[in-house]
Amino acid sequence: MATSAAKLLPKEEYILPGTRSCAACGLMLTYRHALKALNPGKTIVAVPASCMTVLHGVYPVTPVKTICINNPFGATGAAASGIAAGLKALGHDDYTVLAFAGDGGTYDIGIQALSGALERGTNFLYICYDNEGYMNTGTQRSSASPAGAITSTTPVLSKLQHKKNMIGIIEAHRIPYIATASPSFPLDLFDKVKTARDTLGSRYMEIHAPCPPGWGFPNKDLIKMGKLAVDSGIHVLFEIKEGFFQLTSRSLNLAEKGKRKPVADYVKGQTRFKKINQQQVEALQDFVDKRWNEFLERHQKNS
Amino acid sequence: MKKEKSSNVIIKAVSKPFKGEAGKTGDWRSQTPVIDQEKCSQKESCLLCWMYCPDGVISREFPLEIDLEFCKGCGICAQECPRKAITMIDGREAPVE
Ligand SMILES: Cc1ncc(C[n+]2csc(CCOP(=O)(O)OP(=O)(O)O)c2C)c(N)n1
Ligand code: SF4
Ligand code: SF4
Ligand code: SF4
């Protein structure tokens, strides 16, 4: 059953207050609700170098009440595979192996290890939190950064390429569960992580994680920015179970009756888009429209 | 001397859960959230502030309490409260009643 109200989210917190993450961090809100959907006493997390490492704290203490193994930047899929193999050898089939990496660690440097793990059908859940850049080291461009964004490695012309179709790459591995989510829609996020937890085999989730200092918007607008991304179709909420595609939550509402907001509304509130010109906005709108129509077509075919 | 079996030698570099891992993050704040309990619905059917606080420092029991030792002052709770029951005031301290 779909979780329909905040009070239905588990009370227990698994991240103790006083973390190193920035105020208003979309990654932290994502992780907070993802852990509620897992059973953190029976979860082992593989984390590469990223803002997530920073969240997990500095030895000998951590704010997070779950077992975490820090692995090299590009090795998350391989590290998680090793953990899964170890658990299997010891007969611990009640554990969830969670790989939790940024977009740089997923779309770029970690793609080989991830593809290998998915191809082997490793029994684990991989969550990519997408803050659309290498935030931990100062907002460098990744292949998940949107076109038109200023990053510290695209400071003059802004990024010229559109976001990579990572979901398409993941789907090519024919894994049993793929989903997208957003911390601005925590109930949908919670349900999906729970479904992923209870699915056997390789599962992949991509969670859009707005980053106020990296994107340049006020802290208080974190939730609003995440919602605007969904309302404009920049980020689309869906689930693909055994190849069966369905829009969910707000994206489903938009498909059924609503009207998407123009991407111009989304970009205007963020300083990373301060150099975007009319032509680039149109190109971004076109990119978003085409992708939305593809998703809509797949959804309608299945409903 | 008896040689220790290598399987008995476990090097433990394990972090333990700790509140305030990064110190008292309330010190980061330049604005402080203040809840007007009369304006808050005091209803379990809301709890949006609790749900959206990234740092999880708002209690789930009514009347709501914010852990100001750790609240980073982001202002999300004030922004998202549908009844405008939370106000951000300048400074690090909540006013004394
Ligand atoms: C092999 C290697 N190259 C570079 C680094 C430096 N480094 C640490 S974190 C990071 C950025 C991570 O970006 P992403 O995966 O998107 O996560 P985010 O920081 O955005 O959370 C980089 C480049 C590293 N640790 N290892
Ligand atoms: S830089 Fe962005 S993703 Fe990283 S901790 Fe800060 S808000 Fe979170
Ligand atoms: S200001 Fe931010 S950190 Fe403080 S209680 Fe509100 S949402 Fe939480
Ligand atoms: S969001 Fe506002 S009305 Fe709702 S529980 Fe919080 S303070 Fe009360």
Side-chain angles (χ1 to χ4, degrees), chain A residues 201-218:
Chain A
S202 301
R203 297 90 80 188
Y204 178 86
M205 284 185 67
E206 189 160 293
I207 307 185
H208 198 232
C211 165
W215 298 8
F217 65 85

Side-chain angles (χ1 to χ4, degrees), chain A residues 244-256:
Chain A
F244 189 82
F245 183 100
Q246 293 233 282
L247 294 169
T248 67
S249 183
R250 180 84 126 230
S251 295
L252 178 62
N253 298 343
L254 281 174
E256 283 172 347

Side-chain angles (χ1 to χ4, degrees), chain A residues 6-7 9 11 13 16-21 28-29 32-33 36 57-62 184 219-220 223, chain B residues 13 15-18 20-22 25 28 44 46 50-55 60-61 70 72 74 76 79-80:
Chain A
K7 68 172 176 196
L9 293 168
K11 210 183 220 164
E13 299 292 341
L16 297 169
T19 69
R20 257 155 236 273
S21 301
M28 182 140 156
L29 185 56
R32 181 179 164 225
H33 290 299
K36 284 175 190 279
V58 177
Y59 179 77
V61 288
T62 171
S184 293
N219 287 344
K220 67 174 174 49
I223 307 304
Chain B
S15 291
K16 291 272 179 294
F18 184 80
E21 186 273 330
T25 50
W28 299 6
E44 281 253 313
C46 183
W50 171 83
M51 179 171 79
Y52 283 129
C53 171
D55 290 82
R60 240 184 71 159
E61 282 76 39
F70 296 107
K72 293 172 183 167
C74 66
I76 292 173
Q79 184 73 12
E80 295 304 320

Side-chain angles (χ1 to χ4, degrees), chain A residues 17-18, chain B residues 19 23-29 57 66-72:
Chain B
K19 194 171 174 179
K24 302 259 190 287
T25 50
D27 288 353
W28 299 6
R29 230 175 26 242
V57 295
I66 298 179
D67 186 347
L68 292 176
E69 227 175 335
F70 296 107
C71 157
K72 293 172 183 167

Side-chain angles (χ1 to χ4, degrees), chain A residues 186-206:
Chain A
L187 308 176
D188 179 65
L189 186 156
F190 175 83
D191 284 344
K192 285 166 172 169
V193 176
K194 224 164 107 183
T195 305
R197 179 197 72 189
D198 296 338
T199 305
L200 212 62
S202 301
R203 297 90 80 188
Y204 178 86
M205 284 185 67
E206 189 160 293

